[in-house]
């Protein structure tokens, strides 16, 4: 699990810090429970729609082949099925 988080951190490094924070809060990557879009929006002072856009953009960056993440690791993070 630690290696997976390291790989995710490296992949997120090219995303904007606020986008990284939104993704971390949404999936609970920092050991805190996952947060809803509304909760994140209140914390970052943006709308839930903007939070959704930030998360999607960061996920797109992470899914790019140049990031070196395996599809399985991304699916584990996002809960998507292959």
């Amino acid at each position: 699990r630690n290696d997976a988080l390291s790989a995710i951190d490296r992949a997120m490094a090219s995303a904007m810090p606020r986008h990284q924070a939104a993704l971390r809060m949404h999936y609970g990557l920092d050991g805190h429970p996952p947060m809803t879009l509304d909760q994140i929006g209140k914390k970052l002072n943006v709308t839930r729609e903007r939070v959704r856009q930030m998360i999607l953009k960061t996920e797109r960056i992470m899914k790019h082949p140049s990031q070196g993440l395996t599809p399985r690791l991304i699916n584990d993070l996002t809960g998507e099925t292959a």
Side-chain angles (χ1 to χ4, degrees), residues 5 10-11 22 24 30 39 46-47 52 61-62 74 76 78:
L5 287 177
R10 284 191 304 275
R24 288 179 186 285
D30 289 332
Q39 291 170 326
V46 296
T47 65
R52 187 189 67 77
I61 289 169
M62 292 174 61
I74 294 169
D76 288 349
T78 62

Side-chain angles (χ1 to χ4, degrees), residues 66-82:
S66 67
Q67 297 303 324
L69 289 181
T70 63
R72 180 178 175 159
L73 182 60
I74 294 169
N75 293 343
D76 288 349
L77 169 67
T78 62
E80 295 176 4
T81 55

Side-chain angles (χ1 to χ4, degrees), residues 22-62:
L23 188 91
R24 288 179 186 285
M25 288 185 256
H26 185 64
Y27 291 112
L29 296 178
D30 289 332
H32 301 287
M35 297 172 70
T36 66
L37 299 178
D38 284 327
Q39 291 170 326
I40 298 166
K42 287 177 183 169
K43 197 165 186 112
L44 298 179
N45 200 29
V46 296
T47 65
R48 62 175 287 170
E49 174 60 18
R50 182 64 186 129
V51 172
R52 187 189 67 77
Q53 293 168 355
M54 292 163 62
I55 291 169
L56 286 175
K57 184 171 184 174
T58 306
E59 287 175 348
R60 233 182 353 260
I61 289 169
M62 292 174 61

